[in-house]
Amino acid sequence: MTQDQPWVVTGIVAPSSPGVRPGDVLVVSQLSAGQDTVTCGSASLIAGELRRAGLTVHSGTLDDLGVTADEPVIAAALGQDTAERPCAIALTAATAATADSSTPTPDAVDRVLSRWRAALGPRTVLLAEPQSFCAGVERAIEIVEIALARFPHPVYMRKQIVHNTHVVRDLASRGAVFVDELDEVPEGATVVFSAHGVAPAVRQDAEKRGLNVIDATCPLVSKVHAEVRRYAMRGDRVYLIGHAGHEESDGTLGEAPGRTVLVQTAEDVRLLPDSDAPAAYVMQTTLGADEAETVVDALEQRFPGIRGPASDDICYATTNRQNAVRAVAADADLLLVVGSANSSNSLRLVERSAAAGTRALLVEDIGEVPLADLAGVRTVGVTAGASAAPALVDEIVANLQALGPVDTRTVRVAHETIRFGLPSGLSSLPARASAAETGQAER
Ligand code: SF4
């Protein structure tokens, strides 16, 4: 690829697509006419940057956007030799009456394309492995798919089934209705509890209302609930190391509300009132290993003899993804973490990278990666939280490959083979390939 000769097409077109208004910007990912096809693989990066600049942007193939190959700017583009050159096509929409090739490209488009040029260049991409979907998230999504296929619609989800905007949007488009609380669910309807778990009071409420409950609580969260019940039954005061307001913590606290105290930091522990009661602690499954250790140390100093879980409550998926980030961050100039802002395990990956001295960006998808952050960056680490789909990572890598030659390396710290069974009474959909067949959880 000749990095000093990027291929850029700008101009004015009159698209036929009814959703496009004059002044909108069209970012073309692929154009073809006859034998000629041009693919601009960093279209999603450019489209995201244009949206952040305040423009209304449509992205897709020429056909998607309702632009014909007869448009003068396209006809001229198709005649050029574009092989192996980074390309960008950003067209400004006008009406047929006002489309005029002498109309200047908006300044905002020029500025974005300048940033795109500055981001071009060869780089190394380090893929942290394991990353992306864990067994608990795969199971929760499969449970919702089964519920949508087997039960009358609408099928309700109490809270986000997993903390990821793309997953939620996709399931909503297939008929799932997301609610915050059960009083929004009509009596007798089907409701799915999220992977983060619920307090017993929520289960009782559902029973009272005659709801058909399907429980997608991750078995590793259920294990922590069981620990709380066991400690509380024998009279312990239970300290839950977790984050206030997180759904998992709320559910765990609800197992023994009179006996469980949430502590988030070592300072919280120092401020606890004295207590002679026997003490025990449990943890939220998605904590950072370092932060949890600090709080456990503080609890052990404050309450000598305090008992903890036989095996760590921080789950295998959280631990593996944090270890993989630690391995990648050492060699990366920048780490891209794919995940939503409310995803606890994704936030911990950002923190882990920062602790290693490597700047990390939390992004929902490639559209949120600022071009300026890629300029001059030669080694990019990429990971994804346990609730982010592998396809989002693939899209990031594809866009980076369109900016210049990329040497992609996998840095793997563990192989994940864990699978969780479905709740009793719920069997797989016949058409669905198993996770083992798709290899999704193996990423
Ligand atoms: S991150 Fe861990 S606890 Fe949470 S759903 Fe995945 S496997 Fe379960």
Side-chain angles (χ1 to χ4, degrees):
M1 215 177 261
T2 313
Q3 295 310 311
D4 54 351
Q5 293 181 332
W7 185 67
V8 177
V9 176
T10 57
I12 310 298
V13 293
S16 59
S17 175
V20 178
R21 307 173 78 87
D24 291 358
V25 180
L26 313 179
V27 179
V28 181
S29 56
Q30 188 177 74
L31 59 86
S32 46
Q35 298 297 311
D36 290 336
T37 296
V38 177
T39 300
C40 295
S42 52
S44 298
L45 263 173
I46 295 168
E49 192 86 1
L50 287 164
R51 289 191 182 102
R52 283 189 294 282
L55 296 166
T56 300
V57 180
H58 309 267
S59 185
T61 66
L62 216 53
D63 283 349
D64 294 339
L65 299 168
V67 178
T68 69
D70 297 338
E71 289 275 1
V73 64
I74 300 299
L78 282 167
Q80 296 196 25
D81 175 15
T82 60
E84 301 300 307
R85 293 165 63 185
C87 69
I89 305 174
L91 310 170
T92 307
T95 62
T98 57
D100 176 351
S101 59
S102 65
T103 307
T105 299
D107 287 348
V109 174
D110 279 339
R111 281 195 293 274
V112 166
L113 292 176
S114 294
R115 292 201 282 276
W116 174 77
R117 284 190 188 87
L120 297 176
R123 49 177 55 88
T124 299
V125 171
L126 301 177
L127 290 172
E129 292 286 356
Q131 58 168 263
S132 196
F133 282 170
C134 62
V137 165
E138 291 222 316
R139 175 180 181 268
I141 293 170
E142 184 176 2
I143 287 171
V144 176
E145 287 173 342
I146 293 169
L148 289 170
R150 300 250 168 91
F151 296 100
H153 286 207
V155 173
Y156 293 85
M157 312 285 130
R158 182 184 177 275
K159 312 284 187 188
Q160 291 191 346
I161 184 76
V162 299
H163 283 161
N164 185 267
T165 306
H166 286 278
V167 171
V168 168
R169 199 183 295 150
D170 173 52
L171 294 173
S173 74
R174 291 150 69 183
V177 174
F178 289 85
V179 297
D180 268 336
E181 293 303 342
L182 291 186
D183 57 12
E184 298 168 66
V185 181
E187 289 196 8
T190 297
V191 63
V192 181
F193 291 159
S194 81
H196 307 104
V198 297
V202 175
R203 292 181 196 283
Q204 288 153 14
D205 189 20
E207 198 176 329
K208 257 190 256 159
R209 296 171 55 81
L211 302 179
N212 175 32
V213 170
I214 303 174
D215 189 358
T217 302
C218 176
L220 299 183
V221 174
S222 299
K223 167 183 152 286
V224 179
H225 283 228
E227 286 165 1
V228 172
R229 288 196 298 273
R230 186 158 51 85
Y231 290 142
M233 288 259 297
R234 69 186 184 198
D236 290 359
R237 174 168 290 266
V238 185
Y239 297 97
L240 166 63
I241 308 170
H243 293 285
H246 191 278
E247 282 145 38
E248 184 185 326
S249 291
D250 290 347
T252 308
L253 284 168
E255 285 290 348
R259 289 197 161 272
T260 313
V261 179
L262 180 75
V263 286
Q264 303 188 79
T265 63
E267 182 59 17
D268 286 354
V269 175
R270 276 187 279 278
L271 296 173
L272 288 170
D274 291 335
S275 168
D276 292 332
Y281 68 84
V282 295
M283 298 177 198
Q284 188 177 324
T285 57
T286 50
L287 292 186
D290 297 340
E291 68 172 316
E293 199 178 309
T294 308
V295 183
V296 170
D297 286 349
L299 282 167
E300 286 175 342
Q301 277 183 18
R302 189 71 208 277
F303 306 108
I306 189 170
R307 289 175 281 199
S311 62
D312 263 0
D313 287 335
I314 299 176
C315 82
Y316 80 96
T318 301
T319 304
N320 286 345
R321 282 151 189 70
Q322 289 177 17
N323 288 343
V325 162
R326 196 203 306 258
V328 159
D331 296 321
D333 306 317
L334 171 72
L335 180 75
L336 300 176
V337 179
V338 185
S340 292
N342 62 344
S343 163
S344 174
N345 78 85
S346 302
L347 292 169
R348 303 294 82 79
L349 298 180
V350 173
E351 289 170 4
R352 172 52 62 98
S353 185
T358 301
R359 197 163 58 94
L361 295 176
L362 180 67
V363 294
E364 288 277 7
D365 50 39
I366 183 64
E368 289 195 349
V369 178
L371 284 166
D373 285 286
L374 296 176
V377 171
R378 291 293 163 248
T379 305
V380 181
V382 183
T383 187
S387 47
L392 299 171
V393 173
D394 295 343
E395 196 187 8
I396 285 184
V397 174
N399 272 256
L400 293 177
Q401 286 170 336
L403 295 177
V406 167
D407 176 14
T408 305
R409 299 180 200 164
T410 297
V411 180
R412 181 180 290 282
V413 300
H415 285 273
E416 293 183 349
T417 55
I418 291 179
R419 301 282 183 274
F420 296 132
L422 293 169
S424 59
L426 216 60
S427 54
S428 294
L429 294 173
R432 184 185 163 89
S434 72
E437 285 166 337
T438 60
Q440 279 182 310
E442 288 291 335
R443 281 195 50 100

